[in-house]
Amino acid sequence: MASSSGMSFRNFPSWKAKLLPSISHERSDKDIDIKDNEYSHNLPLYRAIYNGDWEATMKFLKDHEDALTASLSTDGDTALHVAVLAGHVEIVEDLVNMLEAEDLTITNINSATALNYAAIGGIVRIAEVLVKKNKDLLCIPNQNGLIPVVVASLYGQKDMVRYLYAESPKEELSPERGKNGAMLLTTCIIDEQYDIALNLLQHYPELTFHQDSDNDTALEMLAQKPSAFLVGCHLSVWNYWIYLSIRVPQSDSSDNFHEDIERPHSGQTDQRSTTKQVFNKLLVMFWKSVTVFVPAIKHMYNLKLMHSQAHELLCFICQQLSTVHKSEFKRVGVQKAVFDAIKNGIIELIIEITDHYPDILWIEDDFNRGIFLYATLQRQEKIFSLIYRMGAKRHAMATSWDRHHNNILHQAAFLAPSTQLDRVSGAALQMQRELQWYKEVEKVVQPKYREMVNVKGKTPRTLFTESHKKLVEEGEKWMKDTANSSTVVAALIATIMFSALFTVPGGYDQFTGTPLYVERNSFMIFVVSDAMSLFASASSLLMFLGILTSRYSEEDFLMSLPTKLIIGLSTLFFSIATMMVTFGVTLVLTLHERLSWVSAPIILLASLPVTLFALLQFPLLIEIFFSTYGPGMFDKPKKRWCF
């Protein structure tokens, strides 16, 4: 069948798949009998169009003019439907030229026009040919009531959506005309076309409160897209610096969000504002020109532009929601969006909503968990850190409990979601992160809440021990495996370095027993590096033995075990580096008289194992150091020192 040619569904929710145009339908025996002769007669035309055989197509149509608008398949597809589905642009153009404008509105048994199928295929040129011939096609819905631009958005055809949205009458997307507007709004957010979503909301702000066919609103969809904001992107230091430096254009509507209309503007202020705008435009032009020559910066530019558009969309939505009473939050999806945003760590959404509606901080989910209780349960440290800005209110927010009498410390005692644990390397560091969470929340709650029991009669500490029993076992195994493998290396290095002192290069004077090269500076380098390697490997060996003999209590994972691992890995790395120096100096002393150029290749080869060790183990070492002695994951207010 024509309609099965090359079409594939995206991984959309089930409701969206139901709304997509049906590709095939069961036919009654009566319908098949009536059409059998027509299908058989036009089968050569169907094959010619489907295979892109232009000459055979034109020859058949010349001999059978009535076949131009006849049904060629059991779905009722015409020649134009088949050509569009097959994606043959030239044949589509010829057929459109042969047809009248009204003929393009012919629908198949699924109420789909040729433009509806073009929206599925995503070939913009085909859509341009059809729309140029008859603009009414833009407004003809399929059997599910969806107009072409919405169909294109459901199939993720971004270029097609952009073209059809520009051409489609905006009144067709009005909430009074059905679900098309709400559907396009949510699917554009899913497809990260935030500029189209913002433009649509500017035409119909009331779409903010309307639900699509799955009862989702724009804010709910945005709360499920952490990639729409910087917090959802894990950038390297270099890329982050580029990201902060880039300037992107702002939409004209963005000024409306932040302009203080009651503030008097002096002429000097206007002049400064104009100068700033001109300077920003120059920066935008500069970065646009850079993207032409540097693909990596182009990617960062597009990323920041997308984030800027998503933030403008969020601001517009929050501006509309600020007019809604708190009792309406659940109906319009604010409650669900807030807790989805917390789960996904989208702090930008939480901050923007609280700026427009501060009382949102007191909202609760179906289990009576407030924002900070849920942020603690989901281990979203950026959102939890907002509690430090609450002033006196933070004590009230930290003393609530959920339906099962679990207070905020109980929430910290539960095991973190796997998505959060997987962000940390190794079970031992995961356990450390869990302890850091528990200790931090413990500082926030009142002392009596540390011994408060839930409905199961468990205190936070008891719940923590039970929830993390398996993680403690995994952390112990991870630590011991790491220590065992490193102990072997450290012991081997210590043995080699100890014996090297008694087999010095060049040998000894047979009368005095003094090393022959003792007067050379390179020999002193040999002795010092050998001794340092021996001492470092011995220290590393002792640290790893300390890890192996540890008692592995919960508290040990907070500071004791990570500190031992830091010292052990650092001294092991130092011992390997000095061992290679010792080896290199030995070769130079032995061969320099015969091969004067031997120094350079020896240095290069000796640096290879050191470099490999650094690449393999240094990231782990740095992660352990910062998780143990770094500034911490919580954004606490800085202390002010008085002198």
Side-chain angles (χ1 to χ4, degrees):
M1 290 173 55
S3 52
S4 63
S5 60
M7 292 300 153
S8 61
F9 290 91
R10 296 190 310 143
N11 186 22
F12 258 84
S14 58
W15 65 269
K16 290 187 171 72
K18 293 177 182 177
L19 289 173
L20 296 175
S22 300
I23 298 301
S24 62
H25 273 278
E26 293 184 0
R27 300 288 183 270
S28 66
D29 293 339
K30 182 179 179 181
D31 292 336
I32 294 175
D33 291 339
I34 294 174
K35 296 291 184 179
D36 261 350
N37 292 333
E38 185 178 358
Y39 298 154
S40 301
H41 178 70
N42 295 323
L43 184 59
L45 177 61
Y46 180 97
R47 290 175 176 171
I49 295 175
Y50 189 79
N51 294 325
D53 191 339
W54 180 85
E55 292 182 0
T57 299
M58 294 300 109
K59 184 178 183 303
F60 189 94
L61 291 175
K62 184 177 180 181
D63 297 336
H64 308 86
E65 294 183 1
D66 58 331
L68 188 60
T69 57
S71 177
L72 305 187
S73 71
T74 56
D75 275 344
D77 294 329
T78 65
L80 186 59
H81 283 90
V82 177
V84 170
L85 280 168
H88 300 310
V89 179
E90 295 80 5
I91 294 179
V92 170
E93 291 176 341
D94 290 333
L95 291 176
V96 169
N97 291 332
M98 297 170 65
L99 291 166
E100 298 294 332
E102 294 76 13
D103 295 333
L104 271 63
T105 62
I106 296 175
T107 59
N108 63 7
I109 200 166
N110 301 320
S111 300
T113 63
L115 182 61
N116 210 301
Y117 279 177
I120 297 174
I123 302 177
V124 177
R125 177 56 187 160
I126 291 178
E128 291 174 344
V129 172
L130 296 173
V131 172
K132 183 178 180 181
K133 185 80 172 185
N134 190 343
K135 279 186 172 286
D136 292 340
L137 295 173
L138 295 164
C139 306
I140 300 178
N142 62 14
Q143 64 178 356
N144 297 310
L146 305 178
I147 60 176
V149 64
V150 180
V151 173
S153 67
L154 285 167
Y155 274 86
Q157 303 292 359
K158 294 185 178 183
D159 293 335
M160 181 65 75
V161 171
R162 198 167 294 278
Y163 168 72
L164 292 178
Y165 179 76
E167 297 293 331
S168 299
K170 297 301 180 286
E171 55 269 17
E172 290 295 322
L173 301 171
S174 168
E176 288 79 14
R177 302 291 288 269
K179 292 283 188 181
N180 278 303
M183 288 287 297
L184 181 61
L185 179 59
T186 55
T187 51
C188 280
I189 293 175
I190 291 173
D191 290 331
E192 298 180 343
Q193 292 184 292
Y194 304 111
D195 54 338
I196 295 179
L198 177 60
N199 187 272
L200 180 58
L201 279 181
Q202 289 169 347
H203 280 89
Y204 299 105
E206 59 271 25
L207 282 175
T208 303
F209 312 105
H210 280 254
Q211 298 174 332
D212 61 16
S213 299
D214 198 34
N215 300 324
D216 288 326
T217 62
L219 186 62
E220 289 174 337
M221 288 291 99
L222 206 55
Q224 298 174 24
K225 294 287 292 184
S227 60
F229 305 94
L230 179 60
V231 70
C233 301
H234 303 289
L235 302 177
S236 63
V237 176
W238 171 250
N239 285 333
Y240 184 72
W241 180 83
I242 295 176
Y243 180 94
L244 295 180
S245 303
I246 290 175
R247 294 293 180 270
V248 296
Q250 302 290 326
S251 68
D252 295 336
S253 59
S254 62
D255 295 336
N256 298 330
F257 300 145
H258 309 290
E259 183 179 3
D260 187 358
I261 58 176
E262 297 183 359
R263 182 183 301 168
H265 298 283
S266 64
Q268 185 179 7
T269 304
D270 289 339
Q271 185 177 0
R272 289 179 179 177
S273 177
T274 303
T275 304
K276 184 178 180 180
Q277 290 178 2
V278 172
F279 180 70
N280 286 335
K281 287 182 179 179
L282 291 175
L283 284 177
V284 170
M285 293 174 61
F286 166 75
W287 283 107
K288 275 187 176 181
S289 61
V290 171
T291 59
V292 176
F293 305 101
V294 187
I297 292 183
K298 182 179 181 180
H299 171 72
M300 299 306 301
Y301 179 89
N302 292 335
L303 182 66
K304 187 161 187 176
L305 180 61
M306 182 189 71
H307 290 169
S308 176
Q309 293 169 348
H311 189 264
E312 290 180 38
L313 175 63
L314 174 62
C315 291
F316 190 92
I317 292 173
C318 291
Q319 188 182 42
Q320 301 302 313
L321 291 173
S322 62
T323 62
V324 178
H325 191 267
K326 185 179 179 181
S327 59
E328 297 290 304
F329 279 178
K330 189 170 184 178
R331 182 185 66 81
V332 299
V334 176
Q335 180 180 6
K336 183 176 183 298
V338 167
F339 287 97
D340 281 346
I342 294 173
K343 182 177 181 180
N344 293 308
I346 307 177
I347 188 173
E348 292 92 339
L349 191 146
I350 301 299
I351 291 176
E352 197 64 39
I353 290 182
T354 53
D355 284 347
H356 286 84
Y357 207 111
D359 284 347
I360 200 74
L361 291 169
W362 302 99
I363 198 172
E364 294 181 344
D365 66 0
D366 296 334
F367 292 91
N368 302 124
R369 293 177 298 213
I371 285 180
F372 296 107
L373 263 70
Y374 194 66
T376 302
L377 180 66
Q378 296 296 330
R379 300 297 192 270
Q380 296 294 347
E381 60 274 4
K382 293 183 181 297
I383 297 176
F384 176 82
S385 296
L386 294 176
I387 201 170
Y388 299 115
R389 307 183 189 178
M390 299 294 105
K393 289 193 297 184
R394 75 176 183 178
H395 299 292
M397 293 177 176
T399 54
S400 60
W401 55 82
D402 65 12
R403 183 185 296 176
H404 303 293
H405 288 193
N406 292 308
N407 61 33
I408 193 171
L409 195 55
H410 281 99
Q411 309 296 336
F414 286 109
L415 186 65
S418 58
T419 53
Q420 294 299 104
L421 286 177
D422 291 342
R423 294 166 51 191
V424 184
S425 302
L429 296 185
Q430 292 174 359
M431 187 61 195
Q432 182 192 45
R433 178 64 60 89
E434 289 290 271
L435 283 165
Q436 289 171 342
W437 260 102
Y438 188 86
K439 295 293 183 182
E440 187 62 32
V441 176
E442 197 174 33
K443 298 175 185 176
V444 176
V445 300
Q446 296 178 6
K448 69 174 184 178
Y449 279 79
R450 300 171 189 173
E451 301 301 325
M452 176 180 174
V453 295
N454 58 15
V455 292
K456 294 184 178 180
K458 295 179 180 178
T459 63
R461 190 68 203 191
T462 302
L463 183 61
F464 183 91
T465 300
E466 292 182 1
S467 301
H468 294 80
K469 183 178 180 181
K470 184 177 179 181
L471 188 60
V472 169
E473 294 174 355
E474 292 175 353
E476 179 180 353
K477 183 178 182 299
W478 184 86
M479 273 285 186
K480 286 184 175 179
D481 289 344
T482 304
N484 275 323
S485 58
S486 301
T487 299
V488 174
V489 178
L492 183 61
I493 294 174
T495 303
I496 295 173
M497 293 298 100
F498 184 82
S499 61
L501 283 176
F502 300 98
T503 55
V504 296
Y508 300 90
D509 187 283
Q510 59 180 339
F511 301 107
T512 62
T514 305
L516 296 178
Y517 295 152
V518 71
E519 299 297 331
R520 297 187 180 183
N521 293 332
S522 55
F523 184 82
M524 293 306 299
I525 296 176
F526 163 80
V527 173
V528 171
S529 60
D530 185 281
M532 293 176 68
S533 180
L534 176 61
F535 297 150
S537 60
S539 300
S540 176
L541 184 61
L542 291 174
M543 285 296 105
F544 289 125
L545 288 175
I547 292 176
L548 292 173
T549 57
S550 177
R551 59 178 182 165
Y552 288 98
S553 66
E554 291 176 358
E555 297 295 329
D556 288 341
F557 287 93
L558 187 61
M559 291 292 292
S560 175
L561 289 172
T563 300
K564 291 177 182 178
L565 190 59
I566 291 172
I567 297 173
L569 289 176
S570 301
T571 51
L572 180 61
F573 173 77
F574 185 75
S575 67
I576 292 175
T578 50
M579 178 185 68
M580 298 313 300
V581 171
T582 304
F583 176 75
V585 172
T586 302
L587 287 180
V588 170
L589 284 171
T590 306
L591 301 176
H592 78 283
E593 293 182 357
R594 181 176 178 85
L595 302 172
S596 58
W597 46 268
V598 75
S599 300
I602 287 176
I603 293 173
L604 292 176
L605 292 174
S607 63
L608 181 60
V610 178
T611 304
L612 288 175
F613 185 88
L615 292 175
L616 295 174
Q617 297 297 330
F618 244 53
L620 176 62
L621 181 60
I622 296 299
E623 183 177 357
I624 299 172
F625 180 82
F626 276 99
S627 65
T628 307
Y629 297 103
M633 55 185 159
F634 300 98
D635 186 17
K636 296 182 182 180
K638 295 180 180 180
K639 295 181 180 180
R640 296 182 179 179
W641 299 93
C642 298
F643 297 94

